[in-house]
Amino acid sequence: MENKNIIICIGRQLGSGGHDIGRMLAAEFDAKYYDRELLNLAAKESGFSKKVFERNDEQKGFFKTLFGIQTTHIGGGLYNSNISQDSLFQFQSDAIRKAAAEGNCVFVGRCADYVLRDIPNVVKIFITATMYDRITRISASKRATKIFQKKNITPKEAKHCILQAEGHRASYYNYYTGKKWGAAESYDLCISSSVLGLEGTVQFIADFIRKRYGI
């Protein structure tokens, strides 16, 4: 499968700054950034509401089946209101492949590295950070309420919440890829954002990508 676009796939520990790093890399390489934006693309491609994809975003999907979803008219027909999460993953994968074919892209999560495994020039990055930095970053973000569920959480409780949420992400990745989430052999570069900071990490990765592409 030929593709000369710059395609960057980022896996990340929760709170490692992967989202920010992805956005900065997208600006660096004049690429489109896809994180939750992929949910919009998948919804558009499938005809289902974006909320359907949000409800199952990076969650392990082989035990559940969605019921009671309002049917949607598409091309004169109807999608059945009962759709498996495996089907949602397929819609999302189709959206990833379509986006990758259209130009330079940065994908964050959603098993994009696996979905695009047949494209030889994809750069696969995994971002880590110390637990202290991860707790600090998540606590200061707008996602804190969603992750921690309450205010004034202790560091021990915060660590538990982060690891629990991360466990869902890992299970999702492991199930759909047959690989181990975060394992070094699955990526071209693994780097801790705690060492160089976000901007320093972006510059390091950008230099790596330029050498990878010979640009």
Side-chain angles (χ1 to χ4, degrees), residues 144-145 148-154 157:
T145 301
F148 296 152
Q149 302 299 317
K150 67 176 184 178
K151 296 180 179 179
N152 302 318
I153 193 169
T154 67
E157 290 172 325

Side-chain angles (χ1 to χ4, degrees), residues 5-10 21 25-26 28-29 105-106 121-125 188-189 201-215:
N5 298 327
I6 295 175
I7 308 297
I8 305 167
C9 297
I10 297 177
I21 289 169
L25 285 172
E28 183 80 18
F29 291 100
C105 295
V106 175
N121 62 328
V122 170
V123 180
K124 295 166 286 186
I125 311 292
D188 300 310
L189 177 67
T201 300
V202 169
Q203 192 56 56
F204 187 95
I205 295 173
D207 289 343
F208 175 85
I209 291 172
R210 288 190 176 94
K211 290 182 179 179
R212 170 71 175 81
Y213 280 94
I215 56 177

Side-chain angles (χ1 to χ4, degrees), residues 34-47:
Y34 294 101
D35 180 7
R36 294 183 68 81
E37 291 82 356
L38 280 172
L39 306 183
N40 287 324
L41 286 179
K44 182 178 179 181
E45 290 296 312
S46 66

Side-chain angles (χ1 to χ4, degrees), residues 138-193:
I138 288 292
S139 297
S141 76
K142 294 180 180 178
R143 301 181 66 201
T145 301
K146 180 179 178 181
I147 299 298
F148 296 152
Q149 302 299 317
K150 67 176 184 178
K151 296 180 179 179
N152 302 318
I153 193 169
T154 67
K156 184 177 180 179
E157 290 172 325
K159 179 180 178 179
H160 174 76
C161 290
I162 287 174
L163 293 178
Q164 186 177 51
E166 206 167 65
H168 293 302
R169 180 180 292 174
S171 295
Y172 176 92
Y173 181 90
N174 296 347
Y175 172 69
Y176 284 112
T177 69
K179 299 191 295 179
K180 186 176 180 180
W181 179 82
E185 61 266 26
S186 296
Y187 308 93
D188 300 310
L189 177 67
C190 297
I191 185 169
S192 171
S193 61

